[in-house]
Amino acid sequence: MWREQLPALAIAVPLAAAPIAALLKAGRTAWALTTAASGVSFVIALLLAGAVSSHNELSYAVGSWPAPYGIELRITSFSALLLLIITGASSVALLAGGQSLDAEVTPVRRPFFYAAWLLALGGLAGIVASGDAFNIFVFMEVSSLATYILIAGGSDPRALTAVFKYLIMGTVGATFYLIGIGLIYMMTGTLNLIDMEARIADVADLKPILAAVGFVTIGLVLKAGVFPLHVWLPNTYAWSPHIVTAFIAACSTKVSLYVLLRFDFMVFQGSLADHHLQFSGFLMPLAVLAILVGSGVAIVEGNLKRLLAYSSVAQIGYVVLGASLMTATGLTAGIVHMFNHALAKGTMFLAVACLATRVPSLRLENLAGIGRLMPWSTAAFMLAALSLIGIPGTAGFIGKWYLISAALEEGALGLAVVAVIVISSLMAVAYVWRVAEIACFRAPPGPDTATREAPPQMLVVLWVAALANIWFGLLPGRPLSLSGEAAMTLLGQLQ
Amino acid sequence: MKLFGLYNYWVFALLLMIGLYAVIAKRNLVKKLLGLSIFQSAVFLLYISMAKVEGGTAPIIQHAGEPQVFSNPLPHVLILTAIVVGISTIALGLAVVVRIREEYGTIEENEIQARDRDR
């Protein structure tokens, strides 16, 4: 009975908790409420992930209005995986981050800050749970507006200029998406994604549909931070509160990629002639450039958080690259890499938050010898970094292994793709080594050389996250099977 | 007359480009937000235009015995939501500009960049 309500509860729990958090006076109670709501959402996501399979998608008619007239929530394997990433990242970041956020957010702002966090969580969950194109737009804006507040909620004034740029570019991206679905609605008369897929075949060769494909793709590529539309991303990640970075770096761009893949494969791919050119001729070159440029800039970047942000630009490239191969293995690789990258990068940003409790500036030269001052935080950072590089036995390896397998199925072009993956992995070794060399092999500056770690609560959560990188590297199990099912669903039209 | 019949859509495209130009070319942050507002308004026009049915009225009163044509109400409702989203975005953007003014003492993009470089 109550299980049928889970898709709606995944959105309703954080959204309902948000106004309560805003009304609370004490920051500590607001934190507790937010963490509890986030934890409940995580449990809901786990239950949903257990319930779905490629033959069993959960559909929920909001207000009992049947689709396609009412708004439909639809949980597929793909959305269940994304829900796990979103709610998991939020819960881990909040559990670890109470003290770190107390240091960065002024007491007056704290209740509103946590309310914004819950709105961002509810919005992101709404995007992946919804099966209605316009509904997705609304949730996209709910989560974006709340994310802007989270980013600017800290004390660094540079976050303000970063968030302004993000606000402008994010709004342009969302508006492009709105134009796209408007044009599709004009031609098909429906906003329900499943219905749209069926009806678009009749009008597939008309100009407005082609324009709509362009608008939807560019809008979502902009929101997802795919190169060269990633310019909002590095500063946003760098100057927002550390815990916020851990949360948004793990999930926000991936949610836009989810919408992009869902549109491209489930709505457009089956009906539009030559739509595959969008992947081979447009997205794949961008993905390759993202991987090479992102990794290249990360090698020379001097600020640790910006370095990791550019690494994220490269990792988004991997996901798009896997998808643009348009095979079951390629899509599985891309989707499982979303999960594994969220795990690795989330852990790394959490470790950065731990380091930041001791060092005032995250420029690399200020981190000299930090490995001796904060051994546990640094070790967790390095463990996650190994996962980011893709060392066998860590989570990051699974995605790269599948990606290389998928590329090898492609023949000559595939070899070039493999070369790109290998080169960029070596580049990842280079930028991680730069951090490792400075952190572990240089003498700490100044007289204060006593070991003083981050608060124990942060460390425990950080290490749980770091060990999860190993756990999912040795036993990829459920994330991998969910990704495989998601790939089959996406490709369903093509087989 | 086909070209004239699509006149709403020409205005949509024109407004869209004016807005986008202002967002990209203007250095003043408030002017950028005004551009963004024009950009979003263009989309409202697109939705309202597609809902119009020749000779249609608001779907409120059905006169008995008279055949009546109604405009499509759904895009109107959708765009009502999008207008609210647009207002929130501009309001939040302006709030950020106020905070930038407090921290940097200016709302000109190049001056802000110069200050960030000095940090």
Side-chain angles (χ1 to χ4, degrees):
Chain A
M1 217 32 213
W2 56 276
R3 275 178 186 274
E4 289 162 20
Q5 307 296 327
L6 283 178
L9 285 174
I11 308 169
V13 167
L15 287 188
I20 305 176
L23 291 175
L24 292 172
K25 283 276 184 300
R28 224 41 216 173
T29 358
W31 172 82
L33 175 74
T34 311
T35 314
S38 176
V40 171
S41 309
F42 183 58
V43 173
I44 293 173
L46 281 174
L47 289 172
L48 285 173
V52 292
S53 68
S54 46
H55 305 293
N56 183 26
E57 295 178 355
L58 305 177
S59 174
Y60 179 92
V62 176
S64 297
W65 292 91
Y69 306 107
I71 292 169
E72 185 192 20
L73 302 182
R74 197 170 189 87
I75 308 289
T76 61
S77 303
F78 198 4
S79 33
L81 183 73
L82 262 293
L83 264 183
L84 276 180
I85 298 176
I86 296 163
T87 53
S90 158
S91 307
V92 168
L94 281 168
L95 273 178
Q99 284 125 317
S100 174
L101 286 174
D102 281 355
E104 288 195 88
V105 185
T106 51
V108 192
R109 286 195 203 150
R110 269 174 221 160
F112 302 111
F113 178 88
Y114 287 114
W117 186 296
L118 285 165
L119 287 174
L121 179 64
L124 291 170
I127 296 173
V128 294
S130 182
D132 180 281
F134 192 80
N135 212 222
I136 289 178
F137 165 77
V138 175
F139 278 125
M140 207 186 260
E141 286 302 71
V142 168
S143 71
S144 300
L145 288 171
T147 310
Y148 304 147
I149 297 171
L150 291 183
I151 294 164
S155 47
D156 196 323
R158 285 169 294 189
L160 294 170
T161 45
V163 90
F164 189 81
K165 194 184 227 175
Y166 186 17
L167 186 142
I168 295 276
M169 292 191 72
T171 307
V172 171
T175 309
F176 268 36
Y177 172 77
L178 184 61
I179 297 171
I181 58 172
L183 292 172
I184 298 176
Y185 175 75
M186 193 157 90
M187 290 292 123
T188 62
T190 184
L191 289 165
N192 182 292
L193 288 179
I194 308 265
D195 199 29
M196 204 182 264
E197 185 184 357
R199 291 195 190 193
I200 211 165
D202 301 334
V203 289
D205 48 353
L206 296 179
K207 287 269 172 9
I209 293 292
L210 294 180
V213 176
F215 274 118
V216 168
T217 308
I218 298 295
L220 292 171
V221 157
L222 183 57
K223 292 281 273 186
V226 176
F227 182 88
L229 298 172
H230 67 283
V231 287
W232 55 266
L233 190 148
N235 278 345
T236 311
Y237 282 16
W239 311 128
S240 53
H242 307 302
I243 294 297
V244 173
T245 314
F247 175 40
I248 62 172
C251 57
S252 69
T253 55
K254 291 171 188 75
V255 168
S256 300
L257 282 177
Y258 159 87
V259 183
L260 180 69
L261 294 186
R262 183 138 187 210
F263 258 93
D264 267 337
F265 280 97
M266 295 181 72
V267 180
F268 299 142
Q269 186 66 50
S271 314
L272 303 191
D274 293 332
H275 185 62
H276 58 92
L277 281 178
Q278 171 164 351
F279 291 97
S280 58
F282 179 66
L283 286 176
M284 193 190 280
L286 288 187
V288 169
L289 280 173
I291 292 170
L292 295 177
V293 175
S295 308
V297 177
I299 293 179
V300 293
E301 180 54 54
N303 178 299
L304 183 57
K305 281 177 89 181
R306 273 176 67 97
L307 184 154
L308 293 179
Y310 274 107
S311 153
S312 280
V313 172
Q315 305 292 327
I316 294 163
Y318 283 125
V319 177
V320 179
L321 183 64
S324 60
L325 291 170
M326 293 180 61
T327 59
T329 332
L331 269 172
T332 310
I335 295 166
V336 81
H337 196 69
M338 282 189 191
F339 179 82
N340 292 333
H341 172 245
L343 206 56
K345 198 52 70 62
T347 312
M348 291 174 93
F349 275 118
L350 271 189
V352 168
C354 289
L355 297 181
T357 56
R358 179 145 186 198
V359 284
S361 151
L362 288 165
R363 294 200 60 79
L364 285 182
E365 62 263 23
N366 297 1
L367 294 172
I370 197 74
R372 286 179 221 170
L373 306 179
M374 310 179 77
W376 287 99
S377 307
T378 317
F381 180 89
M382 289 305 157
L383 197 61
L386 293 180
S387 174
L388 186 75
I389 296 169
I391 303 289
T394 60
F397 175 69
I398 310 289
K400 286 201 178 164
W401 176 252
Y402 268 81
L403 201 52
I404 289 179
S405 318
L408 287 177
E409 289 169 6
E410 298 291 306
L413 173 72
L415 287 179
V417 170
V418 172
V420 168
I421 297 167
V422 171
I423 291 171
S424 72
S425 297
L426 291 176
M427 288 161 102
V429 173
Y431 60 71
V432 166
W433 175 251
R434 243 181 101 222
V435 182
E437 194 267 328
I438 291 171
C440 303
F441 298 108
R442 289 202 193 161
D448 181 18
T449 53
T451 307
R452 196 174 67 245
E453 270 292 355
Q457 191 189 347
M458 285 181 89
L459 274 187
V460 169
V461 180
L462 171 65
W463 269 93
V464 170
L467 292 175
N469 276 291
I470 305 287
W471 173 269
F472 286 110
L474 300 173
L475 302 162
R478 192 59 183 144
L480 193 56
S481 62
L482 276 178
S483 310
E485 286 164 17
M488 296 320 278
T489 320
L490 290 179
L491 285 172
Q493 278 294 311
L494 300 176
Q495 284 166 346
Chain B
M1 285 314 280
K2 194 158 178 257
L3 206 63
F4 189 71
L6 295 175
Y7 137 93
N8 275 25
Y9 297 95
W10 285 107
V11 177
F12 153 70
L14 192 68
L15 280 179
L16 196 73
M17 288 305 114
I18 292 174
L20 198 58
Y21 172 80
V23 168
I24 296 168
K26 292 293 170 194
R27 294 254 148 222
N28 184 301
L29 299 187
V30 173
K31 288 183 183 166
K32 267 182 190 290
L33 281 177
L34 287 177
L36 198 66
S37 190
I38 297 173
F39 182 74
Q40 290 179 318
S41 309
V43 184
F44 307 159
L45 184 63
L46 171 73
Y47 272 72
I48 299 301
S49 307
M50 76 172 81
K52 177 68 186 164
V53 175
E54 199 90 7
T57 62
I60 303 172
I61 307 168
Q62 174 91 60
H63 294 293
E66 278 176 52
Q68 271 194 307
V69 184
F70 292 133
S71 285
N72 184 353
L74 183 64
H76 290 86
V77 180
L78 296 182
I79 222 57
L80 211 56
T81 314
I83 288 172
V84 175
V85 167
I87 291 170
S88 330
T89 313
I90 299 299
L92 184 63
L94 287 173
V96 172
V97 173
V98 169
R99 288 277 295 120
I100 289 179
R101 175 76 164 70
E102 283 170 9
E103 294 284 347
Y104 289 83
T106 174
I107 53 169
E108 295 294 325
E109 202 178 29
N110 38 0
E111 292 174 27
I112 293 168
Q113 279 167 355
R115 260 162 231 241
D116 262 349
R117 236 173 274 126
D118 300 337
R119 258 167 218 281

